Amino acid sequence: MLILAVALVIHAGETINARLSSPTAARLTPATSMAFVMDAADESQFVDNFLEVADAIDPRMAEQLRSTCQLDPSQFARALRQLGPALGEMVQLREDDPALYSRKIKELQLEAAIDALAAQIRRDSITGQPVNPARQAELQALVQAELAASRETQMLLLDRMHAELAQAEADMTELGTQFQQRVDERMRTLIGR
């Protein structure tokens, strides 16, 4: 669960920043925050969403979370408090922007695979086992894939920012050419004439 927790905490900031710069940020719902009290139905739905996102990232970890939920509810509650905000952001992102969600899931999956393989390589080194070139090559390939995926996500966000900027510039130009007309319309609306 540690790998999942670290990966989610790292990416939560990026996810939040990407969403806050988007027009959908104004539609944040209580499910993205753990600072409110949920009723039983909302809590059940949140847990289901939590586990679905965890399953998309790493099915083994999601299964451990499900098991913890059934066997040790207090431990699961702690995990939910720790990971809930980040997973809540991912759940909201899944609803608001499926393309960005898919990219973030891919990055998290790669990061989880990298962390697991790097941990194995470190364990091998600590126990004095010879260097395994195949594992190191695999780790390098995973790191390259992770950085490529991150770059693709950043390019997607940059393209969206360019489109938003172009729209804002067009809106400003339109406002400039229709300024007096809009003033007149607003005045009519305000005073009814």
Side-chain angles (χ1 to χ4, degrees):
M1 274 197 284
L2 180 60
I3 292 170
L4 178 64
V6 170
L8 283 169
V9 169
I10 289 169
H11 284 282
E14 292 175 13
T15 302
I16 293 166
N17 288 337
R19 288 189 64 247
L20 290 180
S21 66
S22 75
T24 60
R27 296 188 324 226
L28 290 176
T29 65
T32 62
S33 171
M34 296 298 289
F36 72 99
V37 178
M38 289 187 235
D39 66 23
D42 287 342
E43 184 176 329
S44 176
Q45 183 61 45
F46 180 80
V47 169
D48 290 345
N49 288 335
F50 176 98
L51 292 171
E52 286 172 12
V53 170
D55 194 47
I57 297 166
D58 186 342
R60 289 179 305 130
M61 293 300 149
E63 191 53 43
Q64 287 179 349
L65 286 168
R66 281 185 185 90
S67 179
T68 301
C69 182
Q70 292 174 358
L71 300 175
D72 187 354
S74 63
Q75 176 66 24
F76 182 75
R78 283 191 293 275
L80 193 62
R81 279 192 301 277
Q82 182 182 16
L83 301 175
L87 282 172
E89 286 295 327
M90 291 297 290
V91 167
Q92 193 66 40
L93 186 63
R94 179 179 64 181
E95 294 172 13
D96 292 346
D97 192 340
L100 183 57
Y101 170 80
S102 294
R103 288 176 185 269
K104 285 296 184 183
I105 289 295
K106 180 180 177 183
E107 288 178 38
L108 289 167
Q109 290 169 337
L110 286 166
E111 189 168 333
I114 287 168
D115 289 346
L117 186 55
Q120 181 61 50
I121 291 170
R122 285 190 304 273
R123 278 192 300 275
D124 290 350
S125 175
I126 290 170
T127 60
Q129 293 185 18
V131 173
N132 183 334
R135 276 196 184 142
Q136 289 189 335
E138 182 182 0
L139 181 61
Q140 183 172 355
L142 286 170
V143 169
Q144 289 171 342
E146 178 193 34
L147 290 175
S150 179
R151 185 173 187 277
E152 289 173 13
T153 300
Q154 293 303 317
M155 290 299 294
L156 172 71
L157 294 173
L158 186 59
D159 288 346
R160 289 178 178 183
M161 285 187 237
H162 284 300
E164 288 177 19
L165 179 60
Q167 183 60 51
E169 288 174 345
D171 292 347
M172 288 299 295
T173 300
E174 181 182 346
L175 178 61
T177 59
Q178 298 177 354
F179 187 80
Q180 189 57 49
Q181 178 185 349
R182 289 190 180 193
V183 168
D184 294 343
E185 288 173 4
R186 181 79 170 128
M187 288 299 292
R188 279 191 298 275
T189 302
L190 291 170
I191 60 176
R193 294 185 191 170

